[in-house]
Amino acid sequence: MAATRNGNGDGGVVSTGAPAGVPTGTNGARRVIAIGEVEAGLVRVLCEHGVRDDDATIAARHLVEGAARGYLHHGVERIFEILDGFERGTLSPAARRRRIVDGPGLASLDAEHGLGAPAAAEAMGLALEKARNTGIAAVGVANAGHLGILAPWAELPAAAGMFGLVMTTTSPAVVVPGGRTAVLGTNPIAYAFPVEGDIVSVDFSTAATTRSTLLAHRESGEPLPLGLAVDERGVPTVDPEAALRGGLLPLGGEFKGALLSLLVAVLAGPAVGAAANHRVTGTRWMTAPPTKGDIFIAIDLGQLTDVAHFDEQMRSFFDHVEGDVPGVYVPGEGSQRRRLRAERHGIPVSARLAALLSPS
């Protein structure tokens, strides 16, 4: 549906990362560096730590994509969590993904605690290949590292004329309303589809906000809006520190939001061979290996319906909503505008990251 110009600008929903300019917890002045320079530096760093060239390129490009679209907490600054995982031995730089299930329209991979982005690229590529033959395909991944933003993976099928859907679990951060203990992840969902050559792209968390928002508010000293989180006693709080000890509320702050998160927890959890959500580790803190799950779904619209009919109906829908609600636009336009600006001007990086990217 059309998006109001709030939230992350892409669907009027809570983003899976903080917009550009929000503090990230990496102290020091920021520098703006050209996209190509940042990507090359990240590839070099990853390869120096034992990541294969092709996996390093995919991972670096995806980190840059997150930052270029404006989500710094799910962009290039994530390299430090990756390196921490390598150092601790909880994330494997040279993991070889294993195909556990391989059917006509279904597959699952065990990422063996390797990087998330290369596993995602393989999984969605496999889903696309199978969907061309079967019309619809789903590929699950277990035990991969953090995925970053999800939208680019959903956009791969959309660019091929298909409907793409991606879901992933995260370590517990969200309470069931009335509870005191985080048992659900922020569990984002992304989907994308083509309309007359354009791509509609949606990427949102199923939590009321994100952990990145809590960290940013803790750093700035600003209170949270009421209705986003609870403290360790289950009492609503505006204190970001208390919220970090307690948990986020689900999307909308109500039980229906928890049910949406549960959908992700099932399909991107035990259904693909991954851990149940309350047992997921390794998506934010690298003290334990990643045990989360991901699911990548591709639906070939041309095998399901008449594409001309689909295009006409969806274009009519968006035109109607845009005429009815002032200041709305198609989901995905905001992040693409930010990306175009980043291509022209570069992306902001912390002083710490700038030093890492500089060849020794």
Side-chain angles (χ1 to χ4, degrees):
M1 60 185 171
T4 55
R5 286 182 169 86
N6 57 27
N8 69 5
D10 293 328
V13 293
V14 180
S15 80
T16 53
V22 171
T24 65
T26 50
N27 295 326
R30 288 193 168 276
R31 287 181 51 192
V32 177
I33 303 179
I35 282 180
E37 185 178 342
V38 176
E39 184 177 316
L42 290 173
V43 169
R44 175 184 56 78
V45 169
L46 289 168
C47 288
E48 287 175 352
H49 284 80
V51 180
R52 294 186 298 276
D53 289 352
D54 53 347
D55 282 2
T57 298
I58 292 168
R61 189 167 295 156
H62 192 63
L63 291 171
V64 167
E65 188 68 23
R69 295 191 187 203
Y71 307 119
L72 300 187
H73 283 286
H74 291 308
V76 293
E77 302 294 338
R78 275 272 175 178
I79 187 65
F80 295 109
E81 279 86 358
I82 291 173
L83 298 182
D84 183 43
F86 291 165
E87 183 176 348
R88 292 175 182 270
T90 55
L91 193 64
S92 174
R96 294 285 182 179
R97 296 172 290 279
R98 292 187 299 118
R99 198 170 296 187
I100 306 300
V101 173
D102 192 6
L106 292 170
S108 68
L109 309 175
D110 188 333
E112 299 281 0
H113 310 306
L115 293 173
E122 180 177 343
M124 188 53 95
L126 188 57
L128 276 167
E129 176 186 329
K130 290 179 180 297
R132 290 189 183 101
N133 295 322
T134 62
I136 182 171
V139 178
V141 176
N143 305 320
H146 191 270
L147 275 189
I149 61 172
L150 301 189
W153 309 119
E155 291 164 10
L156 291 175
M162 300 187 191
F163 186 101
L165 174 63
V166 181
M167 293 179 276
T168 185
T169 52
T170 76
S171 53
V174 176
V175 301
V176 174
R180 297 175 298 172
T181 305
V183 293
L184 293 164
T186 55
N187 295 4
I189 300 170
Y191 60 90
F193 55 92
V195 178
E196 296 180 338
D198 296 326
I199 292 178
V200 178
S201 179
V202 179
D203 186 346
F204 64 99
S205 164
T206 57
T209 187
T210 65
R211 275 181 286 211
S212 300
T213 298
L214 301 187
L215 295 170
H217 277 263
R218 181 178 69 175
E219 183 170 312
S220 68
E222 296 179 2
L224 296 167
L226 190 62
L228 299 184
V230 298
D231 64 18
E232 63 269 36
R233 298 168 299 162
V235 177
T237 184
V238 297
D239 178 359
E241 190 68 46
L244 287 166
R245 294 193 303 268
L248 302 170
L249 287 167
L251 187 64
E254 299 179 352
F255 195 70
K256 287 182 181 179
L259 296 179
L260 181 61
S261 184
L262 177 62
L263 170 69
V264 180
V266 173
L267 290 178
V272 298
N277 213 164
H278 68 299
R279 294 175 172 169
V280 169
T281 59
T283 64
R284 166 59 72 176
W285 315 116
M286 301 310 301
T287 53
T291 58
K292 68 166 179 64
D294 321 295
I295 190 163
F296 302 83
I297 299 171
I299 303 172
D300 189 343
L301 295 172
Q303 296 188 53
L304 182 64
T305 188
D306 177 72
V307 172
H309 171 80
F310 179 87
D311 283 348
E312 189 278 326
Q313 291 293 314
M314 293 310 304
R315 180 59 65 192
S316 173
F317 174 81
F318 287 124
D319 289 346
H320 178 84
V321 176
E322 289 170 1
D324 185 56
V325 185
V328 302
Y329 56 97
V330 173
E333 288 183 355
S335 64
Q336 290 305 319
R337 283 198 297 270
R338 292 191 294 271
R339 199 195 191 292
L340 289 173
R341 286 198 300 269
E343 287 177 351
R344 292 194 299 267
H345 304 297
I347 55 178
V349 303
S350 65
R352 181 187 180 199
L353 181 54
L356 179 71
L357 295 176
S358 300
S360 55

